[in-house]
Amino acid sequence: MTTTVTLGLEGHPLAAWRAILHDRAPVALDPAARPRVAAGAETIAAIVGRGAPVYGVNTGFGKLAHARIEADDLATLQRNLVLSHATGVGPALPDPVVRLILALKMASLARGASGVRWETVQFLERMLAADILPVIPAQGSVGASGDLAPLAHMAAAMIGVGDARAGGEVLPAAAALARAGLTPLALGPKEGLALLNGTQVSTALALDGLFAIERVFRAALAAGALSLDAALGSDTPFDPRIHALRGHAGQSDVAAALRALVADSGIRASHKDCGKVQDPYCLRCQPQVMGACLDLLRQAGRTLAIEADAVSDNPLVFAETGEVLSGGNFHAEPVAFAADILALATAEIGSLAERRVAMLTDGSISGLPPFLTRRPGLNSGFMIVHVTAAALAAENKQRAAPASIDSLPTSANQEDHVSMATHAARRLGEMAGNAAAIVGIELLAGAQGVDFHAPLASSPILERVRATIRAAVPHLDEDRFLAPDLAAARSLVIDGAIAAAADAAWTTIALD
């Protein structure tokens, strides 16, 4: 049974967010957070009682912040804010991502600095428990002031407006809430602003990308080691002394993983004393390239772990002094930078794998039959399979251009620099899918190459990997309809089957 993730005052590791996203881990509020949340709400109530002007409580928003709002209109102000900001377009975000968005918003509000009532935070908890998920369009946020449009769709569902999924069925939000025995939330002062202001959508998308890329990364290491054996390559470049002299943690850790992957390979032992001097870079420089990617994944993971627990709405309530301070925590630049470096790493993981597919299919370099087929000419073998890998690698390179530098002013130049974090993060899912397809192609090519060395066997770990591949895709003896083979191999990467088959090699490459 999946352990419940408790959200409240303490920080949470990446594993907690991974469990919510992938395992549908139950989520619960920490009761210890209640006094702090209540203190923040009481501070807002006191301000309303005094009539002091505070942004977002009794004023307009953005460029209209100068407009004072009378006490009788404060509830209407918050409702109008939600309705006017729910302007998203495009396909709906996937349910697992929406579930994570709600959990991230819970964690942020539970810090007590947003001025919302405890029952408002509990409403999110109850929606998650009942599997009531707002339908949130994927497009429309520039990543400052927070993810306004998508989070407004989340908030709209909470007040019974828009659509929501209930048990997978799309219903009007009010009907979905009613099915769970919930009455639409009546927003208190500042609550609409607190719900739709923040970086939870871009952070959820970036975490989703990070976890997908993590699986692709591990599968790519297994594929690279399998290709090494298929091409009768050397494991000397993985010697720890080489990497100690350079000093990068990721490089040393990847080298250790590669040593574990190829340990006790019968194929490697068969050519230990061959006259081959050096392998192509795609084999020899795996620790350097993949190690640099691992360093980026870890850096992004640290940033996103901090952001996941952050209070990123505005203004912020400091109950201990009774102050409400206006700042800029909604600006998602840290998330945008994290997404951009993840995009770079993903493009390079796929690029290196594509180069190994090209090497394996070139018999003059690999020493294997041309295009990995015994009867070239009559059969094309892996010729066009490599073309597919090249096309996907090129597509990912194009998508890896940084989004964070592409700011456009909004809100009549009040919001004159934005992060573009949301689509920077959203592209990661498709990029990870492309990279998974490239790595899946390499796994097929590497397994095919190792097959040619029978009766010699690879290492125990790589033989488990090869058995996982062969359980889904048979050896290619003659040309056949290959699209299902590629789809099956991609699924083995995305679903984590390849990473699981090589699990014993991953002791040095954890993200957290």
Side-chain angles (χ1 to χ4, degrees), residues 244-303:
L245 285 173
R246 197 171 196 187
H248 291 294
Q251 180 176 324
S252 291
D253 291 345
V254 164
L258 289 167
R259 290 195 301 273
L261 285 164
V262 300
D264 301 319
S265 167
I267 294 174
R268 177 69 186 109
S270 73
H271 64 96
K272 198 79 173 177
D273 299 318
C274 70
K276 196 173 184 180
V277 178
Q278 288 186 336
D279 294 318
Y281 289 1
C282 64
L283 296 177
R284 188 176 8 139
C285 297
Q286 289 184 79
Q288 288 78 11
V289 177
M290 295 296 280
C293 291
L294 178 57
D295 285 337
L296 291 184
L297 265 62
R298 285 171 170 167
Q299 179 182 338
R302 288 191 294 270
T303 296

Side-chain angles (χ1 to χ4, degrees), residues 202-224:
S202 52
T203 302
L205 287 166
L207 285 168
D208 184 40
L210 172 67
F211 299 145
I213 295 160
E214 179 184 26
R215 286 182 172 179
V216 175
F217 177 83
R218 293 185 178 195
L221 289 181

Side-chain angles (χ1 to χ4, degrees), residues 25-44:
V27 174
L29 278 169
D30 186 345
R34 185 166 188 167
R36 185 173 292 181
V37 172
E42 290 165 5
T43 301
I44 293 298

Side-chain angles (χ1 to χ4, degrees), residues 314-333:
N314 183 65
L316 299 178
V317 179
F318 296 87
E320 60 273 18
T321 62
E323 294 177 281
V324 177
L325 304 182
S326 188
N329 279 4
F330 51 73
H331 200 296
E333 196 82 347

Side-chain angles (χ1 to χ4, degrees), residues 342-361:
L342 286 173
L344 291 173
T346 306
E348 281 298 271
I349 291 166
S351 178
L352 195 66
E354 181 275 327
R355 287 292 79 206
R356 290 191 295 264
V357 175
M359 178 272 301
L360 290 173
T361 55

